[in-house]
Amino acid sequence: MTLRRTSIRIAAGAAVLGSVSALVAPVSAVAGSHRERAQGGAVVSVEQAADLTAEEVAEELRGKIDPSQVRYGVTAYRVVYRTTDSAGAPTTASQLVVLPKNGARHLTTVSWLHGTTVYRKDVASENPKSNDRLVALLFASTGRAVSAPDYVGLGSGEGFHPYGDPGATVAASVDGLRAARTFAHRNGRELKRKVQVSGFSQGGPATMLVGRALQQEGADRYFRPGALAPVSGPYNLSAFEAAAADDKIARSGIYLAYFVTAWNKMYGLYTSPGDAFRSPYDSKVEGLFDGHHTAEQIVGELPAASKDLFTEDFLNKIRKPEGVLKDKLRPMDNTCDWRPNVRVEIFHGRGDKDVDFSHAAYCADQLTRNGAAHRLTDVGDHDHNASVRQALPRIVRFFDESAKTG
């Protein structure tokens, strides 16, 4: 659950992409029919974000992500599309769609689901320095199409970000795939039916949610899961938030404050900020998590420890959730509690101080109880961000193997 633009990024200070163009397609050229506009996944606008040769992609990755698997140049686009928010109401979201310059008409697609991001512009579609931009470039340079949704309320989408809400997460991701398919088709490319889904941190349980929605719940008439590769995710969200309340994870107060303010907007966890937060933070904390403040700004205003930020009574409610909080946490404690009919490989680093390795074991245990074929890979004694750097080349190989056997 990485907070962007701080020392806990995958690769802080990543180089700016060198050949970015801004070719804006008129909305009328991409919006489609009235019926399409009313549907989730309908394309609203497209803007070219980058056009890189294979050598330029490798240069962008070098020193941050292993560039040895780069094969093709890529073209990246910022795509705004229609989806639904946490209340099921119509809204728009944005994503980065990246296509390889390999001449292939039919493309396997990767859905890349990002980790915790507090600043709405620090996402793949908006920030050339974004680590998720680099990940999308990597996957596309191996010959795949990539849909990297910003989620609801981030990027250029409308509203606030319903952090960790399963319904909004699935909607933005699946509608993002639909929009990517529509856009690719208009450019003479076709996306194959089976989607390879991967995500880091917050994107770990999101990977399992999206995979289940595509397989079991008929979330889309066309797309089905092809392989699942979650990385360093909190698959038992109740336990993660309880550990944050006890200051047992790195930057516990910041993680917990983001969670609490978002879930309060959706589910009403407190009547007034003073019920949850200590003075003087109760007067500022909600405003800081408005999507327009960077992680550095938030860290500069709030204490890192939960015990210094929250009232003890409220921390007790997080430690032993009841009522609506308990009910809403339950789906996020069971994102792995099903039987995928595709290969699953869970990646985690035993040195992770943000999301403990026990979460990966928890996910694996749930899959085992359901009789699902899976593999748990310890990428080594690496911290949260380094774990995804270690995992990415292995995910590419895993996806290659899965495509051959699937």
Side-chain angles (χ1 to χ4, degrees):
M1 297 176 71
T2 291
L3 299 175
R4 300 298 185 219
R5 301 192 69 173
T6 71
S7 60
I8 48 176
R9 294 179 53 185
I10 298 175
V16 179
L17 295 177
S19 54
V20 178
S21 57
L23 305 177
V24 180
V27 173
S28 59
V30 295
S33 67
H34 173 76
R35 181 180 179 185
E36 182 184 11
R37 290 196 302 271
Q39 295 175 339
V43 176
V44 175
S45 66
V46 176
E47 180 182 4
Q48 184 170 303
D51 186 21
L52 304 172
T53 65
E55 292 75 15
E56 288 171 327
V57 172
E59 184 59 30
E60 294 300 329
L61 300 182
R62 193 164 289 114
K64 312 165 195 79
I65 298 173
D66 181 4
S68 63
Q69 293 166 313
V70 171
R71 296 290 180 269
Y72 306 104
V74 304
T75 308
Y77 304 87
R78 183 180 303 109
V79 177
V80 177
Y81 59 97
R82 300 189 185 278
T83 188
T84 51
D85 62 18
S86 59
T91 189
T92 60
S94 54
Q95 67 171 330
L96 190 75
V97 174
V98 193
L99 301 177
K101 296 193 283 189
N102 62 349
R105 178 186 173 103
H106 297 274
L107 299 170
T108 297
T109 304
V110 169
S111 177
W112 173 255
L113 308 177
H114 68 71
T116 299
T117 305
V118 295
Y119 179 48
R120 65 161 49 238
K121 296 296 184 182
D122 208 6
V123 289
S125 75
E126 293 281 348
N127 185 0
K129 297 180 182 180
S130 166
N131 303 297
D132 298 296
R133 171 80 66 98
L134 299 182
V135 174
L137 296 180
L138 169 66
F139 281 125
S141 73
T142 67
R144 297 167 166 88
V146 179
S147 166
D150 300 328
Y151 304 149
V152 172
L154 297 173
S156 55
E158 301 169 346
F160 80 100
H161 176 47
Y163 182 40
D165 177 70
T169 298
V170 170
S173 303
V174 175
D175 288 339
L177 285 167
R178 292 192 186 109
R181 184 187 179 204
T182 297
F183 172 70
H185 178 75
R186 291 170 181 168
N187 284 270
R189 318 289 287 273
E190 301 296 335
L191 303 189
K192 296 180 182 179
R193 193 179 195 202
K194 291 187 176 180
V195 181
Q196 299 171 335
V197 188
S198 184
F200 169 57
S201 198
Q202 178 188 353
T207 295
M208 301 307 295
L209 284 168
V210 170
R212 181 166 58 190
L214 292 175
Q215 176 180 307
Q216 294 185 345
E217 300 166 14
D220 186 73
R221 289 180 296 178
Y222 178 75
F223 287 112
R224 294 294 180 270
L228 305 176
V231 186
S232 303
Y235 309 103
N236 184 350
L237 190 59
S238 293
F240 179 84
E241 303 302 344
D246 288 334
D247 289 319
K248 292 182 178 178
I249 65 173
R251 292 160 293 273
S252 53
I254 308 301
Y255 277 124
L256 188 55
Y258 194 17
F259 166 78
V260 167
T261 53
W263 282 45
N264 183 63
K265 289 180 181 178
M266 293 185 285
Y267 311 128
L269 302 187
Y270 53 80
T271 303
S272 68
D275 297 334
F277 299 98
R278 295 181 183 274
S279 178
Y281 309 113
D282 57 336
S283 65
K284 65 171 75 173
V285 65
E286 290 183 331
L288 288 170
F289 289 99
D290 62 356
H292 299 288
H293 289 79
T294 67
E296 291 94 338
Q297 289 173 322
I298 294 171
V299 169
E301 292 285 338
L302 300 178
S306 293
K307 65 181 178 60
D308 298 324
L309 180 56
F310 290 89
T311 66
E312 187 62 21
D313 285 346
F314 191 80
L315 289 177
N316 285 332
K317 293 179 181 179
I318 298 296
R319 293 174 181 125
K320 295 182 179 180
E322 297 178 349
V324 66
L325 178 58
K326 182 177 181 179
D327 291 342
K328 296 300 182 180
L329 280 168
R330 188 175 295 112
M332 297 305 295
D333 296 341
N334 294 288
T335 58
C336 300
D337 192 11
W338 57 292
R339 184 174 181 174
N341 58 16
V342 297
R343 295 178 63 183
V344 180
E345 185 162 2
I346 307 161
F347 296 88
H348 214 116
R350 63 180 178 272
D352 196 330
K353 297 294 189 284
D354 291 56
V355 182
D356 190 76
F357 190 87
S358 62
H359 284 272
Y362 175 90
C363 179
D365 287 345
Q366 287 188 323
L367 291 170
T368 297
R369 288 200 300 271
N370 284 282
H374 64 279
R375 181 166 60 193
L376 172 55
T377 297
D378 179 356
V379 299
D381 189 14
H382 300 283
D383 66 16
H384 196 51
N385 284 326
S387 69
V388 72
R389 288 200 297 270
Q390 294 294 320
L392 283 166
R394 306 180 197 208
I395 293 172
V396 172
R397 291 193 293 270
F398 169 62
F399 281 165
D400 287 344
E401 295 165 3
S402 299
K404 293 176 183 177
T405 58

